[in-house]
Amino acid sequence: METALSLSTSRMLSLSSFQLHHARIPSRLLALSSSFRRSFTSRPKVPPNLHNHPTPQIFASITAKPSSELRKEQSRSSEPDDKLRALRELFSRPNISIDAYIIPSQDAHQSEFIAECYSRRAYISGFTGSAGTAVVTKDKAALWTDGRYFLQAEKQLTSSWILMRAGNLGVPTTSEWLNSVLTPGCRIGIDPFLFSSNAAEELKEVISQQNHELVYLYDSNLVDEIWKESRPKPPNRHIRVHDMKYAGVDVASKLSSLRSELTYAGSSAIIISMLDEIAWLLNLRGGDVPHSPVMYAYLIVEIDGAKLFINDAKINLEVMNYLKNAGIELRPYESILSEIESLAEKGACLWLDTSSVSAAIVSTYKSACDKYSGNAGEVNRKKRTLPNVPVSQSCGPTAVYKSSPISMAKAVKNEAELQGMRNSHLRDAAALAQFWAWLEDEISNNVVLTEVDVADKLLEFRSKQDGFVDTSFDTISGSGANGAIIHYKPEPDSCGIVDAEKLFLLDSGAQYIDGTTDITRTVHFGEPSSWQKECFTRVLQGHIALDQAVFPENYPGFVLDAFARSSLWKIGLDYRHGTGHGVGAALNVHEGPQSISFRFGNMTPLLKGMVVSNEPGYYEDHAFGIRIENLLYIKEVNTPNRFGGTEYLGFEKLTFVPIQTKLVDLSLISSTELDWLNDYHKQVWEKVSPLLDGSALQWLWNNTRPLVKP
């Protein structure tokens, strides 16, 4: 599954060179495993939902058009929008007084997947894709999304909305558009909890060119006010301890390493707001967010303690005792801002990752620092200085602005995490073999199945596997033209039928107690056309090229992206998403900071132990979609030479499910590529066949037989 996109580019740190090439490994971390100590070395953070920026298309329309122009025959497009009218009525309230309001996709933790009660952009616009930003003025409404969602947005938006195809030539950003449609000197409102500090600052800077003012509306979210009683309740599920045999490193060791990082940076505390970082650091898992085993919380770690801000109804006795033994105090979720002020009052040096921490928190801390700056002398007189830090560096209330050290620590898997990923992928492969055997049998017997029927049946097979928790994202089950909608989600009342004469794309994944999976396969149940076979083969060639790549250590992922596109480029084809995203270990299916994408600004190095996806594709609008996706982990590679003493890295496969050979054009594929495919299918048979019997075993045998060039 391709990574979701945040349309605020400010969360991406721009670096001018390979400044990470000789990253130092702090000696204070040597007591831990090599992957763990390397992972805590500070490096730039790029949030997971920024990895796959839409490719600018030179052949695309450069004019943003109302969705009604694309769907003039849809009668409901002319209906008045009561939600927009109600929202605009709030603009003129004395305590609000704004001319425009911006509604992003994220929750207060910059999450890609969010609880239903925080799906404000989807509620106000009707567009349900995971990535997008809505902007409402007193007389206009526009929605920005990227190339994965253009077709979906065209279907879901009414004529009240202008669809902005982000990344296409001539399409303005949200701030540029506001500057063009508002008269100078307007007030633009946002909920500061829903914007990272970086995103808010970038927005403020651009709109100031027209003397517009960015207004933080702390007290209420305007969409929530019109949503009222129909808004879903916040999630309240119990959290659980993530067993050490899956985590690999205990919470005490993780906290100790983090505190060493705080000391080295001259900081006395850090606030962590990314939900997967909290879950990973504390070895906890939750159920608040669909598809992601995380819980809504904030975490503040100080040199001598830690506080978890969470609804205590989610904490059972086992977890309460676990947290107590780890030295972690519980605080109400809603009290985070008051605690931030308290940190300033006692003269803390607070580590803030402004790419992920909300504008509300950063702004509150800055204001509190100004208020309590006179306390610094009192703090120093009490010798409340940091261990091993010279007196001259003693902290009054101030901030340290750095990327979260947890991001890289989480991305580099230890051996226990990798083993859990290997094990869960094999069980997942067994479920998929059972599913494909069932589906091919149903299609051959002319059973009518909808795209939702197929997704539901796959869930049924997966749910029977040991350790199954949830899907890792909404299954993308697309037949024919629906497969060209890159993040298509079939709905019961509008989905298509699985047509035996059309290409069928299935992108799915699961959360297991020990790992996270993500796999895409494209198949044809009848006779594919020669063009479909050529497109499929070129996608496969890109997949193979990336899988076999060998590259120097500390190189960023963007240098590998062209490997996956080269075969498509040779005939003038491409795809509008990145080639690979990071994946968590029993955590988020989309995980930063690494990626494999044409977005060359992400300088995060690929390191041994990271898990990434390999998923090139090709999509012919209104016709078909093709994608082939496996998950890989990065390993050391023995090369005959080590130029400059550099180590070299490569990939090891985690995913073991057959690739349909019917779609391969043997006249295009090389002998080396054919050997790769046959070797892969040999591994699939050897690893997965012991887990199967009956028709699924026979299906696996049929689909892993070696191909021979004529």
Side-chain angles (χ1 to χ4, degrees):
M1 180 189 183
E2 299 76 31
T3 340
L5 166 74
S6 168
L7 300 177
S8 173
T9 58
S10 69
R11 293 180 63 197
M12 173 63 125
L13 297 176
S14 297
L15 302 177
S16 59
S17 65
F18 288 89
Q19 62 190 50
L20 302 171
H21 193 74
H22 300 291
R24 180 186 57 80
I25 300 176
S27 60
R28 61 189 173 280
L29 303 179
L30 291 176
L32 298 178
S33 68
S34 60
S35 63
F36 185 68
R37 66 173 183 266
R38 291 176 72 184
S39 63
F40 259 109
T41 306
S42 297
R43 291 184 172 92
K45 173 177 180 173
V46 181
N49 55 355
L50 277 175
H51 295 156
N52 294 343
H53 198 78
T55 313
Q57 303 292 317
I58 61 173
F59 52 83
S61 168
I62 65 171
T63 305
K65 298 178 180 179
S67 58
S68 57
E69 291 187 27
L70 300 164
R71 301 181 293 107
K72 289 181 179 178
E73 296 180 359
Q74 190 172 36
S75 60
R76 72 179 180 88
S77 66
S78 61
E79 295 176 358
D81 195 315
D82 293 336
K83 294 175 184 176
L84 285 177
R85 183 170 60 248
L87 181 65
R88 287 168 174 144
E89 288 175 356
L90 299 177
F91 287 8
S92 58
R93 282 187 181 177
N95 62 329
I96 296 175
S97 186
I98 58 174
D99 301 284
Y101 192 59
I102 305 176
I103 307 109
S105 299
Q106 293 85 4
D107 56 22
H109 304 267
Q110 304 300 300
S111 308
E112 175 193 0
F113 298 127
I114 59 178
E116 190 179 0
C117 62
Y118 301 127
S119 301
R120 298 168 174 116
R121 190 226 61 228
Y123 172 78
I124 196 68
S125 70
F127 167 65
T128 59
S130 67
T133 299
V135 181
V136 179
T137 69
K138 291 179 178 179
D139 59 356
K140 294 180 176 65
L143 181 128
W144 281 254
T145 192
D146 65 80
R148 297 164 301 146
Y149 295 103
F150 291 166
L151 298 181
Q152 179 180 345
E154 289 170 10
K155 291 181 178 181
Q156 292 182 326
L157 294 177
T158 71
S159 61
S160 298
W161 290 86
I162 302 168
L163 172 57
M164 296 290 189
R165 296 170 182 79
N168 280 5
L169 294 176
V171 176
T173 64
T174 55
S175 49
E176 290 169 344
W177 184 77
L178 283 166
N179 281 349
S180 69
V181 301
L182 297 177
T183 59
C186 287
R187 287 165 52 89
I188 298 167
I190 64 169
D191 181 338
F193 284 97
L194 305 185
F195 286 75
S196 71
S197 178
N198 283 358
E201 289 299 317
E202 179 186 319
L203 176 61
K204 185 185 302 183
E205 180 180 353
V206 177
I207 64 173
S208 68
Q209 297 169 8
Q210 292 296 317
N211 295 316
H212 300 315
E213 178 186 358
L214 188 62
V215 180
Y216 287 3
L217 302 175
Y218 284 91
D219 295 336
S220 65
N221 183 284
L222 301 191
V223 175
D224 292 351
E225 289 205 26
I226 65 170
W227 208 343
K228 296 181 179 177
E229 290 78 14
S230 61
R231 183 186 175 210
K233 300 296 183 185
N236 204 24
R237 297 181 180 176
H238 279 163
I239 62 177
R240 57 183 169 86
V241 176
H242 189 53
D243 198 287
M244 261 293 294
K245 66 183 177 182
Y246 307 131
V249 179
D250 61 36
V251 64
S253 298
K254 291 181 178 182
L255 287 173
S256 176
S257 294
L258 177 57
R259 286 173 175 135
S260 294
E261 288 291 320
L262 295 182
T263 300
Y264 185 77
S267 176
S268 59
I270 184 172
I271 177 165
I272 304 158
S273 64
M274 297 292 283
L275 302 185
D276 62 332
E277 292 188 5
I278 296 171
W280 180 87
L281 183 65
L282 299 184
N283 289 342
L284 294 174
R285 297 296 187 267
D288 284 353
V289 177
H291 315 303
S292 297
V294 297
M295 56 282 177
Y296 279 107
Y298 295 98
L299 179 66
I300 291 177
V301 178
E302 299 179 75
I303 296 297
D304 57 356
K307 298 182 179 71
L308 181 65
F309 297 79
I310 191 170
N311 182 343
D312 60 10
K314 300 175 186 178
I315 309 295
N316 60 27
L317 185 59
E318 177 193 5
V319 174
M320 185 175 293
N321 290 334
Y322 169 83
L323 291 172
K324 183 178 180 180
N325 291 335
I328 298 164
E329 303 175 37
L330 292 177
R331 294 288 187 273
Y333 178 80
E334 297 79 10
S335 67
I336 185 62
L337 290 186
S338 62
E339 183 66 25
I340 290 295
E341 291 181 341
S342 297
L343 285 171
E345 185 177 7
K346 67 182 185 180
C349 276
L350 182 61
W351 183 321
L352 293 167
D353 182 344
T354 52
S355 71
S356 60
V357 175
S358 73
I361 288 174
V362 174
S363 178
T364 296
Y365 190 68
K366 286 180 178 178
S367 297
C369 284
D370 292 340
K371 179 180 178 181
Y372 295 112
S373 59
N375 289 3
E378 180 64 25
V379 169
N380 291 340
R381 279 193 294 273
K382 293 180 179 178
K383 298 183 179 180
R384 295 188 58 192
T385 58
L386 298 174
N388 304 318
V389 177
V391 174
S392 61
Q393 296 182 29
S394 299
C395 287
T398 188
V400 174
Y401 298 106
K402 293 186 67 176
S403 299
S404 169
I406 302 167
S407 180
M408 285 294 287
K410 178 168 52 64
V412 178
K413 277 56 178 177
N414 59 50
E415 184 52 38
E417 291 172 321
L418 284 176
Q419 190 57 49
M421 292 290 277
R422 296 185 193 102
N423 293 341
S424 60
H425 274 77
L426 292 182
R427 300 197 304 277
D428 201 57
L432 282 157
Q434 294 165 350
F435 162 79
W436 284 115
W438 166 83
L439 181 57
E440 287 189 5
D441 185 61
E442 295 289 281
I443 295 294
S444 67
N445 289 320
N446 299 315
V447 176
V448 177
L449 294 169
T450 69
E451 294 161 334
V452 169
D453 292 334
V454 168
D456 289 346
K457 191 67 177 182
L458 176 55
L459 175 59
E460 180 183 323
F461 281 114
R462 275 195 167 117
S463 64
K464 294 177 182 177
Q465 292 296 321
D466 290 342
F468 176 82
V469 176
D470 192 5
T471 53
S472 56
F473 54 93
D474 287 321
T475 296
I476 300 169
S477 169
S479 179
N482 288 338
I485 304 174
I486 297 174
H487 269 194
Y488 173 69
K489 179 185 176 183
E491 300 289 353
D493 58 349
S494 61
C495 68
I497 301 295
V498 178
D499 191 329
E501 300 305 316
K502 295 179 179 178
L503 283 172
F504 175 64
L505 185 153
L506 186 73
D507 186 351
S508 67
Q511 295 286 2
Y512 295 93
I513 197 168
D514 53 346
T516 302
T517 72
D518 182 2
I519 173 176
T520 309
R521 291 293 183 265
T522 306
V523 302
H524 200 297
F525 301 106
E527 291 300 322
S529 69
S530 59
W531 174 240
Q532 289 172 335
K533 291 178 69 173
E534 176 171 0
C535 293
F536 182 91
T537 303
R538 290 186 180 277
V539 171
L540 176 60
Q541 288 173 314
H543 181 96
I544 294 171
L546 181 57
D547 180 272
Q548 293 185 315
V550 175
F551 51 95
E553 63 176 348
N554 288 323
Y555 267 50
F558 77 81
V559 301
L560 303 180
D561 184 73
F563 286 43
R565 299 179 192 269
S566 178
S567 185
L568 289 165
W569 285 350
K570 288 176 181 176
I571 59 169
L573 300 183
D574 205 348
Y575 49 95
R576 295 188 184 108
H577 57 76
T579 300
H581 58 85
V583 181
L587 264 176
N588 289 355
V589 72
H590 292 157
E591 176 180 85
Q594 76 278 15
S595 69
I596 300 174
S597 173
F598 50 85
R599 295 190 72 248
F600 54 83
N602 185 353
M603 299 296 293
T604 304
L606 297 179
L607 300 176
K608 177 186 174 183
M610 285 181 170
V611 175
V612 295
S613 66
N614 173 8
E615 49 182 314
Y618 173 67
Y619 312 90
E620 204 154 281
D621 288 355
H622 312 293
F624 62 83
I626 296 167
R627 186 159 64 251
I628 303 171
E629 176 186 17
N630 283 352
L631 296 192
L632 314 168
Y633 67 88
I634 300 172
K635 64 175 184 177
E636 291 181 2
V637 173
N638 290 321
T639 54
N641 303 294
R642 297 291 173 94
F643 180 78
T646 300
E647 298 291 329
Y648 282 78
L649 303 174
F651 297 112
E652 188 73 33
K653 285 175 277 291
L654 287 167
T655 307
F656 292 98
V657 175
I659 295 168
Q660 192 179 60
T661 55
K662 178 200 298 187
L663 280 164
V664 178
D665 185 338
L666 291 174
S667 69
L668 290 175
I669 202 166
S670 71
S671 297
T672 301
E673 290 164 338
L674 186 60
D675 288 344
W676 180 96
L677 185 59
N678 286 336
D679 180 68
Y680 176 62
H681 282 155
K682 180 183 178 183
Q683 292 182 61
V684 170
W685 172 256
E686 291 173 349
K687 292 176 180 292
V688 182
S689 61
L691 306 178
L692 299 172
D693 56 22
S695 60
L697 183 63
Q698 185 62 50
W699 178 88
L700 192 72
W701 173 262
N702 295 340
N703 284 274
T704 55
R705 297 304 83 216
L707 279 178
V708 179
K709 268 183 172 283

